[in-house]
């Protein structure tokens, strides 16, 4: 039996060896506790975020935490995916870093957690213009779009993307924005449906939309 509090603490302390050892143990026991293990890892990421806010962790620690979280998802993925009902269809959604922004650390963490939560994520990568997003939404019948950005000018690209979706008549598509410059005010200015600073909130919002 895995001590999930210890797993969360190990993730928070960026203790890679302990995290991977415990996750591999979960899989060795059949993967039945994969959901709890992922929840513990997410709890650990909350600890990382708090330590970063308090100035005890730095950007390099966030990058390392993101890589560790991605590795954690990779270890648990088979059990997490098979945890759903056989034949159940996953909600497909689109994720990207918007035009003029080349940052992908946060985006990759969000993708890993969305995939762990059962989403089929179409990741268009970085520096993605509005027209390419609109085209992908149409081609893949996407109903949820997550836009990421770290630079302040990313907000302009996010606004352009929301306007392009509406101009294309895709008014039923839900848009969530995330990243350093994002706030409630920015969300209103951009015209998005929701905003998030944490991967956890992004997952919660997208799950709620998928279930609606």
């Amino acid at each position: 039996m895995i001590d999930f509090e210890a797993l969360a603490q190990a993730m928070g302390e960026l203790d890679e060896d302990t995290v991977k050892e415990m996750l591999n143990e979960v899989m060795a026991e059949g993967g039945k506790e994969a959901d709890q293990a992922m929840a513990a890892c997410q709890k650990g990421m909350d600890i990382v975020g708090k330590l970063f806010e308090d100035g005890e962790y730095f950007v390099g620690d966030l990058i390392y935490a993101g890589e560790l979280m991605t590795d954690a998802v990779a270890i648990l993925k088979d059990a997490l995916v098979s945890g759903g009902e056989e034949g159940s269809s996953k909600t497909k959604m689109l994720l990207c870093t918007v035009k003029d922004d080349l940052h992908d650390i946060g985006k990759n963490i969000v993708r890993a957690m969305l995939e762990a939560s059962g989403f089929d994520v179409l990741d268009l990568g970085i520096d993605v213009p509005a027209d390419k997003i609109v085209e992908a939404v149409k081609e893949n019948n996407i109903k949820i779009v997550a836009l990421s950005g770290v630079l302040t000018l990313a907000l302009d690209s996010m606004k352009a993307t929301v306007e392009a979706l509406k101009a294309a008549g895709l008014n039923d598509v839900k848009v969530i924005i995330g990243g350093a410059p994002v706030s409630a005010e920015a969300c209103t200015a951009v015209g998005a449906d929701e905003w998030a600073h944490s991967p956890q909130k992004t997952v919660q919002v997208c799950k709620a939309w998928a279930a609606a």
Side-chain angles (χ1 to χ4, degrees):
M1 176 70 186
I2 301 293
D3 181 344
F4 293 110
E5 278 302 316
L7 174 56
Q9 200 59 41
M11 176 63 88
E13 292 170 0
L14 303 178
D15 182 350
E16 180 180 1
D17 291 343
T18 300
V19 169
K20 290 186 175 179
E21 186 180 317
M22 294 180 82
L23 295 180
N24 283 318
E25 194 177 327
V26 168
M27 295 305 288
E29 292 173 359
K32 289 179 182 175
E33 295 179 316
D35 284 332
Q36 289 138 286
M38 180 49 55
C41 288
Q42 291 174 354
K43 190 173 176 182
M45 289 296 285
D46 288 338
I47 295 171
V48 171
K50 180 73 169 63
L51 290 170
F52 178 71
E53 285 172 14
D54 292 345
E56 291 184 44
Y57 277 0
F58 302 97
V59 173
D61 298 305
L62 283 188
I63 294 171
Y64 187 73
E67 291 170 350
L68 183 53
M69 187 69 181
T70 302
D71 289 345
V73 172
I75 292 170
L76 298 172
K77 197 166 185 179
D78 288 345
L80 291 167
V81 172
S82 63
E85 293 175 27
E86 280 301 312
S88 64
S89 61
K90 292 193 200 177
T91 298
K92 191 164 191 177
M93 62 175 289
L94 183 149
L95 172 69
C96 70
T97 299
V98 293
K99 187 176 184 299
D100 298 324
D101 200 319
L102 307 177
H103 295 83
D104 66 355
I105 298 164
K107 173 183 69 66
N108 292 344
I109 295 172
V110 169
R111 184 187 70 208
M113 291 179 62
L114 284 166
E115 288 177 342
S117 298
F119 285 91
D120 180 3
V121 182
L122 174 60
D123 185 350
L124 297 184
I126 58 175
D127 192 22
V128 185
D131 58 345
K132 187 175 178 183
I133 294 169
V134 170
E135 186 182 328
V137 167
K138 285 180 175 176
E139 285 180 2
N140 297 278
N141 194 29
I142 301 284
K143 296 301 178 193
I144 299 174
V145 172
L147 303 176
S148 176
V150 171
L151 305 176
T152 304
L153 55 78
L155 295 175
D156 293 333
S157 297
M158 290 175 178
K159 189 172 193 289
T161 300
V162 171
E163 289 172 351
L165 288 167
K166 287 189 168 28
L170 300 166
N171 298 308
D172 57 341
V173 174
K174 292 284 193 181
V175 178
I176 182 168
I177 60 174
V182 168
S183 64
E185 294 77 15
C187 183
T188 300
V190 165
D193 298 288
E194 192 49 278
W195 66 282
H197 267 167
S198 72
Q200 288 87 347
K201 183 182 174 185
T202 304
V203 170
Q204 288 166 3
V205 169
C206 291
K207 272 186 169 180
W209 285 344

